[in-house]
Amino acid sequence: MTFERETVGGVVLTGGSAVRLDGADKAGIEVAGHTLLERALAALATLPEIVVVGPEVPTSRPVTFRLEDPPGGGPAAALLAGLAGFPRRPDVVVALAVDMPMVTGATVDRLLAALGGPEAGTPDGAVLVDADGRRQPLCAAYRPAALAAPGSAHGWSMRRLVADLRLVEVPATAEECQDVDTWEDVLRLRAAARGQGAGGTCT
């Protein structure tokens, strides 16, 4: 048994200081004519509801915008703030960092397939893993009931939030694991999108 697609929601996290990008708004950076936010929304296109945790901007589809309170609480606090933005909490939430523009709908489908249905003994989440075995907790499908923090999660890392979860690992392609931390990353991804090739792994 697997979840019906209408019970799955998406949370896109657009925050972060972007120090190595001179403080630029990652969500607004363009790759192949589309902003990183729009690429993330495209990856989650089949999900009926999406919450974006970050400043409100125009988008190509209806989404709900949320901010963690207080601001700057880190990715774990941002994800929990995103979960609070659904009018009805979904059975599964797909978390996606806005700076992973090579993630596609096929990636999301593989995560959901690996997570499976709600039967007893099934995992709490499915997480993308790069060729070196590094988990990417901001490209993952989770059961919200398993995502809990005592009191405030302000300042928590995602790895701390999911440390006790039973996670199944989903191998990533090299392209899926590329992220945007520096202007060099931006240039490499733009070249890749033009079909000129680009290497790289998750950092």
Side-chain angles (χ1 to χ4, degrees), residues 79 92-97 100 103 107-116 123-131 133-143 147 158-159 162-163 165-173 176-177 202:
L79 177 57
V92 174
V93 62
V94 178
L96 180 58
M100 296 184 71
V103 169
T107 317
V108 173
D109 287 342
R110 290 188 357 255
L111 290 170
L112 293 173
L115 180 61
D124 298 317
V127 60
L128 200 69
V129 179
D130 74 6
R134 292 180 296 226
R135 291 178 171 181
Q136 300 301 308
L138 288 181
C139 186
Y142 298 109
R143 293 198 171 88
L147 295 171
M158 276 298 300
R159 285 178 173 81
V162 305
L165 270 56
R166 295 170 299 143
L167 300 176
V168 60
E169 297 183 346
V170 177
T173 69
E176 288 171 331
C177 272
C202 299

Side-chain angles (χ1 to χ4, degrees), residues 117-122 166:
E119 297 87 354
T122 51
R166 295 170 299 143

